[in-house]
């Protein structure tokens, strides 16, 4: 496996691409393994993007462990780890990507973190420009982000037939969605976080909220939305339960498909 830092070193023939912010765990391994199910080389990018963190968020504290990340990526089947610096990524001025409606209208992460999707879209677009992938793999845990990236690719023509591949959320044995931020949880808080998993299956917003509050979580939102637009659900169309809540000082997000 190669570790590279310059876009000029990326494969020229196209690739399966897994963009990450590092702190890799089994969820990222699942993405890489899914990407490895074809003849294309698998490229994993590791870049902690400063522009998607608000001033009050944990950019400086976000875990950085490149050597460990490289070993995890290698074990999962990656052929290339692309670890650019901010100077490389932002060497040229960004042309702002117009944000799709799913990045501004649902009032979920877009309301809680107003600058977040601006940073996500612009850096992912820059990484796509660098890597020229055939397929790009994103986990369903960050569900609104997934829908935003899908919509961005549909509205932009410069990446050709790039396909966004959604990979189901990887979970621990207790059902909690794997996340780099889980490392911040104490054992007691981890037990509290199980309420999120239980709430996702209730299928009623009032019941979701009641369960989370009873468990002592500070709830940002607990809603049921249309699975594509993330707006109000439409009768007969797929629905998604979506939650963001703080367990102690750690903000967790999760979601689940509803019948």
């Amino acid at each position: 496996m190669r570790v590279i830092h310059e876009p000029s070193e990326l494969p020229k023939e196209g690739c399966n691409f897994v963009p990450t912010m590092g702190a890799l765990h089994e969820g990222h391994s699942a993405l890489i393994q899914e990407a490895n199910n074809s003849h294309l080389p698998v490229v994993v990018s590791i870049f902690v993007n400063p522009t998607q963190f608000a001033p009050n968020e944990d950019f400086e504290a976000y875990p950085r462990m490149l050597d460990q990340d490289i070993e995890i990526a290698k074990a999962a089947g990656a052929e290339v780890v692309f670890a650019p610096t901010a100077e490389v990524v932002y060497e040229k001025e960004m042309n702002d990507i117009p944000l799709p409606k799913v990045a501004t209208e649902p009032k979920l992460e877009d309301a809680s973190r107003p600058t977040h999707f601006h940073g996500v879209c612009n850096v992912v677009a820059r990484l796509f420009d660098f890597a020229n992938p055939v397929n790009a793999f994103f986990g369903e845990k960050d569900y609104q982000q997934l829908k935003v990236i899908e919509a961005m690719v549909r509205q932009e023509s410069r990446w050709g037939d790039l396909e966004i591949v959604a990979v189901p959320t990887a979970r621990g044995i207790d059902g909690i969605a794997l996340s780099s931020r889980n490392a911040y949880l104490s054992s007691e808080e981890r037990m509290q976080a199980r309420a999120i998993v239980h709430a996702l299956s209730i299928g009623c917003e009032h019941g979701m909220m009641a369960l989370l509050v009873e468990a002592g979580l500070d709830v940002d939102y607990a809603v049921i939305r249309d699975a594509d637009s993330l707006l109000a659900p439409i009768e007969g169309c797929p629905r998604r339960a979506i939650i963001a809540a703080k367990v102690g000082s750690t903000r967790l997000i999760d979601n689940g498909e509803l019948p």
Side-chain angles (χ1 to χ4, degrees), residues 25-250:
H25 50 65
E26 291 177 11
H28 296 103
S29 294
L31 293 175
I32 297 166
Q33 289 162 2
E34 184 70 23
N36 206 24
N37 288 330
S38 82
H39 65 283
L40 293 169
V42 176
V43 175
V44 176
S45 67
I46 297 174
F47 178 64
V48 183
N49 177 36
T51 66
Q52 66 192 69
F53 288 81
N56 63 332
E57 292 182 332
D58 57 350
F59 173 68
E60 295 299 334
Y62 193 87
R64 293 160 173 83
M65 44 191 76
L66 182 59
D67 290 344
Q68 179 178 313
D69 289 343
I70 289 168
E71 291 305 312
I72 291 172
K74 181 179 180 180
E79 295 185 33
V80 177
V81 166
F82 174 46
T85 62
E87 289 73 22
V88 167
V89 173
Y90 294 110
E91 180 181 11
K92 297 179 182 177
E93 185 177 350
M94 293 275 192
N95 293 319
D96 282 350
I97 297 289
L99 292 181
K101 290 181 179 180
V102 74
T104 60
E105 294 187 356
K107 304 309 176 191
L108 300 172
E109 291 301 287
D110 47 308
S112 299
R113 308 171 71 191
T115 63
H116 178 65
F117 287 126
H118 178 270
V120 168
C121 285
N122 282 289
V123 79
V124 171
R126 177 57 56 86
L127 292 171
F128 285 171
D129 289 342
F130 286 159
N132 190 30
V134 176
N135 305 292
F137 295 76
F138 290 82
E140 290 185 348
K141 184 185 77 70
D142 296 285
Y143 192 76
Q144 188 176 8
Q145 174 178 279
L146 168 66
K147 305 316 284 186
V148 168
I149 298 299
E150 289 175 345
M152 180 184 77
V153 169
R154 287 195 300 268
Q155 78 179 18
E156 301 290 319
S157 60
R158 67 203 214 215
W159 302 303
D161 295 326
L162 169 61
E163 181 179 352
I164 302 301
V165 180
V167 180
T169 302
R171 299 184 179 276
I173 57 174
D174 55 5
I176 294 174
L178 298 183
S179 169
S180 302
R181 289 186 170 92
N182 289 354
Y184 302 152
L185 298 173
S186 68
S187 56
E188 181 179 327
E189 288 170 340
R190 177 103 191 182
M191 289 291 292
Q192 274 185 287
R194 295 174 67 179
I196 295 175
V197 183
H198 298 319
L200 289 172
S201 63
I202 290 177
C204 162
E205 289 187 358
H206 177 74
M208 292 163 64
M209 181 66 75
L211 190 154
L212 294 168
V213 170
E214 184 179 353
L217 277 62
D218 180 6
V219 184
D220 190 346
Y221 54 80
V223 298
I224 295 172
R225 295 293 178 84
D226 177 84
D228 190 45
S229 70
L230 303 190
L231 300 178
I234 301 170
E235 188 174 351
C237 293
R239 302 179 304 153
R240 205 88 184 180
I242 308 173
I243 291 172
K246 278 189 176 179
V247 184
S249 61
T250 303

